[in-house]
Amino acid sequence: MKHSRIKHIAGNICIVLSFFLLLFISSCSKSEHDFIIGVSQCSDDEWRNRMNDEIKREALFYPNLKIEIKTVKDNSKEQIEDIEEFISEGVDLLIVSPNEAKAITPVVEKAYEGGIPVVLVDRKIASDKYTAFVGGDNYLMGEQVGTYIANRLNGKGRIVELTGLKGSTPALERHKGMNDVLKNFPSIEIIATADAAWLKANAENKFDSILSIYKDIDLVFAQNDPMAAGAYEAARKKGREKEMLFVGVDALAGEKLGVELVTDSILDATFIYPTGGDKAIQVAMNILEKKKYERENMLSSALVNAGNARIMQMQTSHINTLDDKIKILNEKLDTYLMRYSSQKMFLYACIVIAILLTVLLFFVVRAYWTKIRLNAELAEQKQQLEEQRDQLIDLSQKLEEATKAKLSFFTNVSHDFRTPLTLIADPVKRLMESKNIKEEEKFLLNIINKNVTVLLRLINQIMDFRKFENGKLEMHLSEFNIMDCMKEWAEAFRTLSYRKHITFRFNAEEGDYNIIADAEMMERITYNLLSNAFKFTPENGCISICLRRGTDNKITMKFTDTGAGMPAEHVKHIFESFYQIDVHHAGSGIGLALVKAFVEMHHGEINVESTEGSGTAFTICIPVKQDGTVTGSVDRKALLNNLKEGAVVMADQESLKAENNNAGKKDVSKGIVLVIDDNQDVRDYVKSLLEGEYSVMEAGNGEEGLKLAIAGVPDIIICDVMMPVMDGMECCRRLKAEPRTSHIPVMMLTAYSMDEQKIKGYECGADSYISKPFSSELLMARLHNLIDNRKRLKDFFGDKTLTNATPLADADKGFVEKLRHLIEENISNADFSVEEMGEQIGFSRVQLYRKAKALTGYTPNELLRIARLNKANAIIKTSSEKSISEIAYEVGFSSPSYFTKCYKEFFGENPTDVLKKKQA
C-alpha cells in the first residue's frame, strides 16, 4: 500500500511535468502554414524564372502561405506526374502552366473535380474546368503582331512564322490572331510556318532549312524572343541577316534577352508578354480566403522597338535595384524575428522552470505528510490482513472438506445410477428385438436406448476420473497390436463421417506396433478425441489419425481436424477438470481431463495445438512397453462393440440433409413449424409429435435456423437455448430484428429453469419458454396458443379501428407503415407490381407474400386492390365531374370493366349506380 501511494504521487508529478513540457514545446514550435499552393511550370526558361521570382516575392506578403514549385522541361508526361503528386499531398490550390492543352486537361480536371481550386497561368487547357486564368490575351497579341507586320512592310511582303509547341494554347491563339489580321492584306504572304517548340536551338535548325529553300524573305516572326534570336543566328551564319526583319514576343529585360536584342538591332521589335506571377498569387489568395475574384484575368501588352527599348532598360534596372533592397530588408526582418523568437523561448523556459520548481516543492511537502499518514494506515492494514489470513485459512479448510463431501456424494450417486440404467438398457434392447411393437414405439425405444448408452458412458467416465483422483484407478495390461485396434476403432466412426461429409483418414508408417498397455484406456482415449473432432468439425471438413513408431521405442498418435479450433487463452486449460470454453461447447468437462490421466498413467505425454477457425491437433506419445504384469489378451470384439455404440449415438445425433430438404415438400396447406436444436433425438421426437398436424423444418444450430426462417417464413419456431455456432438467444434476437421474420412467434427450449435465463430470453424477443424435460401435452398446448394468438392479431389488424390497440412489435409496425406508404405512393400506377413492391421494401415475392399475409390476413395484391377501391369510392362520393372510366384510370386500374367488377364485389353495388344516386 505504501509503495503504491508513493508511485501514485510520483505519477502525478510526471503528469504535471509532462504538461508543462508540452506547453513549452508548443510555445517554441513554429506555427503551421494555413495554406499550401503547388506551382507546376511547363518549362525552365528565363521567362518562367521571372514568373517564379514574382510568385515568391508576392508570397512574402502572406505569412500563412507556403509555395512549392515543380518545373519540367517541356515534357507533358512529367508535368502530369508533378500535378498528381500535388493532388496526393493535398495542396490547397494549384497554379498550373500547361505544357500541352489536351495532354494536361484530364489531370487538371481531376484536381478541379476533387475540390482543389486551379489557377491557370499563361496557357489554358482544352476544357473550362478550372477556377481562374491569369495571363496575356494571346489572340490579341497575334492581332497586334499582324498589325505591326502589315504597317512595317507597307502591306506587301513575304514572311516566315516560327511557332511554339504545337499543342500549347499560346501558339494556337497567336497564330490565329496574326492570320486573321493578315487576311486583310493579300499582298503579304506567309511562305513558311515551322514548329520550334519555344526553343532557340530548334528555331535555328528549322529556319536554317527554310533559308535553303526560300531566297526572298522580308520578315521573320517568332512567337517568343529566344526563337527569334535563333532564327537571326541561322541567317547570320549564311550572311543574310540584313535581308530581313526579326520580330519576337516576351520583351524581357536582361543580357541577351528581348529588350537588349532590340537595342542591339538584332530584333526589329518585340511585344511585352507579362509574366503575371504576382497577379496569380493575388487571385489564388482571394480564392482561398473566400474573397471576390475575376475568373478571367487578362494582362496588358505593348510594342517594344528601337524608340522605347532604352527607356524600358532603365526602368527595369531601377526595378531590379528596388527588388534587391526589398530582399535585404526581408533578410534583416527575418534576423530580427529570429532574435525575438529566441528571447521569447528563453522567457517561456524560465517561466516553465519556475513553475516546475514550485510544483516539485509542493509535491515534496505533500509526499512527506502523506508518508507519515500512510505509515499509520499500513500498520492498521497489516493487522487487518493478518486477521483476514486466519479467516481465509479456516474457510479454505472448510471448503476443502465440503468439496470432498460433495465429490464423494456425486460419485456415490453416479455409482447408484448404473444399476437402474442397466435395468433400463437391457429391457429396452429386448423390447426393440420384439416383432410385435409398432414403428412409432420402436422409434421411441430407439431414442431411449441411445441416450441410456450416452449416460452409461458418461457415468463410467466420472467414476474412472474419481478413481484416478483418489489414486485407485488400476491398469490392466495386455499385449496387442495398437495399429490393428485403432483401425477398427476408427472404422466405427466411418458412418458418422459419411453423414457429415467429412474426409476421414487413418495413416500409419511401416513398423512394429505390438505394445503392452491398457487396451480399454487406449479405446477410451481414441473415442474421446475422435468424438470431440467430429463434434466440432463442420461438413466437408477433414479428420485424420497418424500413427508412428519412433527410434526411441515410443508410439506417437496424432489426431488432427479442421474444425472450429480454440483461442490461445483456452488451449492451456482444456485438460483441467470440469473446464468448458463457453456455453456453446456444452459437455461434462472431464473427457479431456480423463484422456490426460490415462496418458500419464502410461508414462506418456499429450500436447495440443489449436488455432481459432483453423482446427486442432492432439499429439500423444507413450512408451511401447509398460512395466507390470500382463493380465491376459484383449477382448477386441467387446471393445469395438462398446466404441461402436458411442459412435452410432453420435451419428444418429447428426442432422441429415435429406430431412431438411424434404421439409419443402410438405403439404403447404398445413402450418409450418421450424425446430432448431443441435440434438437429433430432440428434433426427431418433436417432429413425431407435430408432423401429423404441421409441416416440420429442421436445423442443427442457430445459424442454419436463421437462414431457413428467412427463406421459408414458418408460422412458428421452436428453438433450443444452448447450441454450437449460434445459440438460441442470439438466434431469437436476430429473428426479431429481421423484418422478414419479426412477426414469427418463438418458443424457447432450455435445460435450465433459472429465472435469469428466462428473462434474457424474453429480452431477446422470445414469446414462450418450456423447460426440459417437457411433456408433449404442454408443448402442443403452448404451440396452439401461440398460433391462435397470431390469428387473433390478424383479425385485429383487419379492423382499422383497432389497429392502434394491437400490440405489434416495433419491427412489424415499421413494416406495416412502409407497406402502406408504398401503396399510397403508387396507387395510380397501373404497372406497379408485387415484385417491384418487394424490391423497394427489400423482400422477395414469397417473403413479402408470407409476411403481409401473416400480419394482415391479405396478400400484397389484395392490399393494393383494396386501397385502390377505397380511393375510388372516396372520389365517387366527393366528385361529380369525373366519369367512372376516369376514376378507374386515376386509381391505377388498367380496365374500367375490371374496375366495375372489383368495385361491385367489394362494395356490393355498381359504381355507376352510386354515382347516379349522388348526382340525383
Side-chain angles (χ1 to χ4, degrees):
M1 181 67 73
K2 176 180 176 180
H3 292 298
S4 64
R5 291 291 181 89
I6 293 172
K7 286 181 180 178
H8 178 67
I9 293 169
N12 287 339
I13 294 173
C14 290
I15 292 171
V16 174
L17 291 176
S18 301
F19 170 77
F20 283 111
L21 185 61
L22 287 172
L23 180 64
F24 174 69
I25 293 172
S26 63
S27 66
C28 298
S29 62
K30 252 189 171 182
S31 61
E32 292 288 332
H33 292 97
D34 292 339
F35 301 114
I36 299 176
I37 294 178
V39 180
S40 174
Q41 289 286 14
C42 60
S43 61
D44 185 14
D45 54 32
E46 186 60 31
W47 193 86
R48 300 286 166 189
N49 292 335
R50 293 286 177 89
M51 181 192 292
N52 291 343
D53 289 341
E54 291 175 357
I55 288 173
K56 293 174 184 177
R57 186 167 59 246
E58 187 67 22
L60 294 175
F61 293 98
Y62 302 94
N64 60 339
L65 176 63
K66 179 183 177 183
I67 299 292
E68 186 177 345
I69 299 176
K70 294 181 183 291
T71 301
V72 297
K73 295 185 178 181
D74 306 296
N75 187 312
S76 296
K77 183 179 179 182
E78 290 181 4
Q79 189 174 23
I80 291 170
E81 292 174 356
D82 285 349
I83 297 172
E84 289 280 9
E85 188 174 343
F86 279 135
I87 294 172
S88 64
E89 290 174 359
V91 296
D92 298 294
L93 184 140
L94 276 172
I95 295 177
V96 180
S97 179
N99 186 50
E100 294 176 284
K102 289 184 179 179
I104 304 301
T105 295
V107 71
V108 171
E109 288 181 339
K110 176 182 176 181
Y112 181 79
E113 291 171 353
I116 300 176
V118 180
V119 177
L120 301 178
V121 293
D122 174 35
R123 306 177 183 182
K124 290 189 176 181
I125 58 173
S127 81
D128 61 352
K129 291 185 177 181
Y130 59 88
T131 310
F133 171 77
V134 176
D137 189 333
N138 284 289
Y139 180 80
L140 180 60
M141 175 75 69
E143 287 184 331
Q144 291 176 345
V145 171
T147 302
Y148 177 79
I149 291 172
N151 293 334
R152 191 75 172 85
L153 298 180
N154 296 319
K156 181 179 181 181
R158 292 158 59 86
I159 66 174
V160 172
E161 181 185 19
L162 298 176
T163 68
L165 189 65
K166 185 177 181 181
S168 62
T169 55
L172 298 172
E173 292 172 359
R174 291 175 187 179
H175 172 77
K176 189 174 185 307
M178 183 187 75
N179 272 3
D180 288 348
V181 171
L182 294 182
K183 284 178 185 177
N184 300 320
F185 300 92
S187 297
I188 296 178
E189 180 185 3
I190 301 175
I191 60 174
T193 299
D195 180 358
W198 306 109
L199 301 176
K200 178 180 178 181
N202 286 6
E204 185 175 346
N205 292 334
K206 296 279 186 178
F207 192 61
D208 182 71
S209 301
I210 292 171
L211 288 171
S212 302
I213 299 171
Y214 298 100
K215 300 302 180 183
D216 296 327
I217 300 173
D218 297 308
L219 185 142
V220 178
F221 168 56
Q223 290 188 350
N224 70 0
D225 292 339
M227 290 191 296
Y232 178 86
E233 187 64 22
R236 187 188 64 78
K237 289 179 180 179
K238 291 184 178 288
R240 298 179 57 184
E241 72 275 14
K242 303 296 184 182
E243 299 176 7
M244 60 199 77
L245 301 174
F246 296 89
V247 178
V249 175
D250 279 350
L252 292 179
E255 187 178 355
K256 297 183 179 179
L257 297 178
V259 176
E260 186 174 297
L261 293 176
V262 173
T263 58
D264 292 344
S265 299
I266 294 173
L267 299 185
D268 182 66
T270 183
F271 288 82
I272 296 174
Y273 187 62
T275 50
D278 51 352
K279 183 65 175 178
I281 291 296
Q282 292 167 10
V283 172
M285 289 307 298
N286 285 340
I287 294 170
L288 291 174
E289 292 176 347
K290 310 297 183 184
K291 296 180 180 178
K292 187 178 179 181
Y293 66 92
E294 295 292 334
R295 189 167 189 264
E296 302 293 331
N297 300 272
M298 296 300 179
L299 305 178
S300 301
S301 178
L303 171 67
V304 178
N305 56 18
N308 60 5
R310 295 289 181 187
I311 297 172
M312 283 198 63
Q313 277 186 321
M314 292 171 61
Q315 290 176 339
T316 303
S317 176
H318 182 64
I319 290 171
N320 289 339
T321 302
L322 293 176
D323 281 346
D324 292 339
K325 290 181 179 181
I326 290 172
K327 288 179 181 178
I328 293 170
L329 288 173
N330 187 57
E331 290 172 358
K332 288 185 176 181
L333 181 61
D334 286 342
T335 303
Y336 293 144
L337 288 174
M338 287 283 290
R339 188 179 301 170
Y340 168 74
S341 179
S342 299
Q343 291 173 348
K344 186 170 68 172
M345 287 167 58
F346 179 73
L347 177 61
Y348 285 163
C350 292
I351 294 172
V352 169
I353 291 170
I355 293 172
L356 290 176
L357 288 173
T358 304
V359 171
L360 187 60
L361 180 61
F362 169 77
F363 279 111
V364 167
V365 174
R366 183 181 176 186
Y368 172 74
W369 290 109
T370 303
K371 180 181 178 183
I372 295 174
R373 181 170 52 83
L374 288 177
N375 286 336
E377 290 178 359
L378 285 173
E380 183 181 350
Q381 289 173 2
K382 182 180 179 182
Q383 184 179 356
Q384 292 175 355
L385 286 173
E386 289 175 351
E387 293 174 357
Q388 290 174 0
R389 181 195 61 191
D390 295 337
Q391 292 174 359
L392 287 173
I393 292 172
D394 185 46
L395 287 173
S396 178
Q397 291 174 349
K398 291 180 180 178
L399 181 62
E400 186 176 354
E401 292 173 2
T403 302
K404 287 181 179 179
K406 287 179 182 178
L407 288 174
S408 177
F409 171 77
F410 186 63
T411 304
N412 293 335
V413 170
S414 298
H415 189 276
D416 291 340
F417 280 164
R418 296 182 69 177
T419 300
L421 283 174
T422 303
L423 293 175
I424 293 171
D426 189 58
V428 167
K429 285 183 180 179
R430 291 179 62 186
L431 285 171
M432 289 178 66
E433 293 170 359
S434 174
K435 297 180 180 179
N436 298 324
I437 63 172
K438 299 178 182 179
E439 284 298 321
E440 183 179 355
E441 294 168 342
K442 192 172 184 179
F443 166 76
L444 296 173
L445 287 170
N446 185 47
I447 292 177
I448 296 171
N449 181 57
K450 287 188 293 183
N451 287 278
V452 167
T453 303
V454 172
L455 282 173
L456 280 172
R457 178 173 283 274
L458 180 59
I459 288 170
N460 288 335
Q461 284 196 154
I462 292 171
M463 300 202 53
D464 285 345
F465 185 72
R466 286 294 293 143
K467 287 179 182 179
F468 172 75
E469 283 192 328
N470 295 329
K472 295 180 180 180
L473 185 61
E474 297 179 356
M475 293 176 62
H476 302 281
L477 300 177
S478 57
E479 186 172 357
F480 60 97
N481 189 296
I482 187 66
M483 181 181 71
D484 293 341
C485 288
M486 288 191 70
K487 278 185 178 178
E488 292 178 352
W489 298 338
E491 282 301 312
F493 286 85
R494 189 63 62 185
T495 301
L496 179 57
S497 69
Y498 292 150
R499 290 194 178 185
K500 288 194 73 174
H501 306 289
I502 289 175
T503 303
F504 184 33
R505 302 189 184 96
F506 181 91
N507 302 311
E509 298 180 3
E510 293 184 3
D512 181 9
Y513 288 98
N514 287 315
I515 68 169
I516 295 176
D518 188 315
E520 185 177 355
M521 289 185 182
M522 291 295 106
E523 178 268 333
R524 301 278 284 281
I525 290 171
T526 302
Y527 173 80
N528 275 325
L529 294 181
L530 283 180
S531 62
N532 271 347
F534 277 99
K535 184 176 181 181
F536 297 114
T537 300
E539 290 191 356
N540 303 314
C542 181
I543 298 173
S544 64
I545 304 174
C546 296
L547 201 62
R548 179 174 59 85
R549 175 166 178 162
T551 56
D552 54 355
N553 286 327
K554 289 186 177 181
I555 297 291
T556 301
M557 296 171 280
K558 189 170 185 178
F559 298 79
T560 307
D561 66 67
T562 58
M566 294 173 283
E569 64 267 21
H570 294 301
V571 172
K572 57 187 177 182
H573 297 295
I574 60 170
F575 294 118
E576 295 176 5
S577 308
F578 310 110
Y579 181 80
Q580 294 177 337
I581 293 176
D582 53 43
V583 295
H584 305 318
H585 300 78
S588 64
I590 62 172
L592 291 177
L594 197 59
V595 167
K596 185 179 181 184
F598 289 162
V599 172
E600 289 176 350
M601 289 181 69
H602 282 80
H603 304 96
E605 294 179 354
I606 182 169
N607 296 301
V608 61
E609 296 176 1
S610 185
T611 304
E612 190 172 10
S614 300
T616 305
F618 288 91
T619 304
I620 297 172
C621 186
I622 61 171
V624 173
K625 294 183 179 180
Q626 301 294 322
D627 296 332
T629 304
V630 178
T631 57
S633 60
V634 179
D635 188 353
R636 292 172 60 178
K637 185 176 180 181
L639 289 176
L640 182 60
N641 288 338
N642 185 31
L643 187 139
K644 277 184 176 178
E645 286 184 1
V648 167
V649 170
M650 287 191 66
D652 288 342
Q653 287 177 341
E654 290 300 322
S655 175
L656 299 178
K657 297 296 182 183
E659 293 179 8
N660 283 336
N661 293 337
N662 289 336
K665 301 176 183 177
K666 301 287 182 181
D667 185 357
V668 295
S669 63
K670 297 180 179 180
I672 301 173
V673 179
L674 171 61
V675 181
I676 308 172
D677 199 301
D678 61 328
N679 189 299
Q680 181 67 44
D681 289 338
V682 173
R683 299 203 302 272
D684 289 342
Y685 180 62
V686 174
K687 183 178 179 181
S688 70
L689 297 174
L690 302 177
E691 61 185 355
E693 190 174 349
Y694 301 97
S695 294
V696 181
M697 299 190 297
E698 298 180 49
N701 58 64
E703 188 174 283
E704 292 177 9
L706 184 62
K707 292 177 182 177
L708 276 178
I710 293 173
V713 193
D715 295 293
I716 191 167
I717 296 171
I718 300 174
C719 182
D720 189 23
V721 173
M722 294 178 62
M723 294 182 291
V725 185
M726 181 191 292
D727 65 16
M729 297 291 188
E730 179 64 15
C731 180
C732 182
R733 187 186 66 78
R734 295 197 184 185
L735 285 167
K736 293 300 182 180
E738 169 60 49
R740 289 167 286 187
T741 58
S742 59
H743 68 284
I744 303 173
V746 179
M747 180 190 296
M748 303 293 285
L749 297 179
T750 176
Y752 294 98
S753 59
M754 293 183 295
D755 290 340
E756 290 83 354
Q757 191 181 64
K758 290 184 178 181
I759 291 170
K760 288 182 180 178
Y762 288 127
E763 287 175 350
C764 291
D767 297 273
S768 182
Y769 245 105
I770 291 185
S771 300
K772 295 179 182 178
F774 56 84
S775 69
S776 59
E777 292 84 358
L778 177 62
L779 178 70
M780 296 301 292
R782 289 275 180 90
L783 196 69
H784 289 147
N785 188 40
L786 286 174
I787 293 177
D788 289 342
N789 285 341
R790 183 55 61 177
K791 288 179 179 178
R792 285 195 292 273
L793 179 62
K794 291 181 191 177
D795 296 337
F796 277 125
F797 194 90
D799 185 356
K800 289 185 179 180
T801 62
L802 298 175
T803 299
N804 295 332
T806 304
L808 282 176
D810 290 340
D812 293 337
K813 289 178 181 176
F815 169 80
V816 170
E817 289 304 319
K818 192 170 185 180
L819 185 61
R820 283 179 177 170
H821 182 67
L822 195 59
I823 289 174
E824 288 171 2
E825 278 189 341
N826 295 276
I827 201 165
S828 61
N829 182 3
D831 298 326
F832 186 61
S833 63
V834 176
E835 288 82 0
E836 188 176 352
M837 190 186 300
E839 286 177 6
Q840 295 194 32
I841 293 181
F843 285 20
S844 69
R845 181 187 179 91
V846 174
Q847 290 167 339
L848 180 63
Y849 175 90
R850 289 181 175 171
K851 180 81 174 180
K853 187 76 173 174
L855 284 176
T856 68
Y858 296 106
T859 67
N861 265 329
E862 289 171 340
L863 289 171
L864 184 58
R865 186 168 62 251
I866 291 169
R868 285 171 170 165
L869 290 171
N870 283 328
K871 179 72 178 292
N873 190 46
I875 296 173
I876 290 172
K877 291 181 177 180
T878 58
S879 174
S880 58
E881 298 176 356
K882 295 181 180 179
S883 66
I884 296 300
S885 296
E886 289 174 333
I887 294 171
Y889 291 132
E890 183 177 339
V891 297
F893 281 90
S894 56
S895 167
S897 60
Y898 178 65
F899 165 71
T900 301
K901 176 178 177 294
C902 293
Y903 188 95
K904 187 173 183 180
E905 288 176 356
F906 191 75
F907 292 106
E909 55 183 332
N910 194 297
T912 306
D913 295 339
V914 176
L915 188 61
K916 287 179 180 178
K917 289 178 185 177
K918 179 182 177 299
Q919 291 173 346

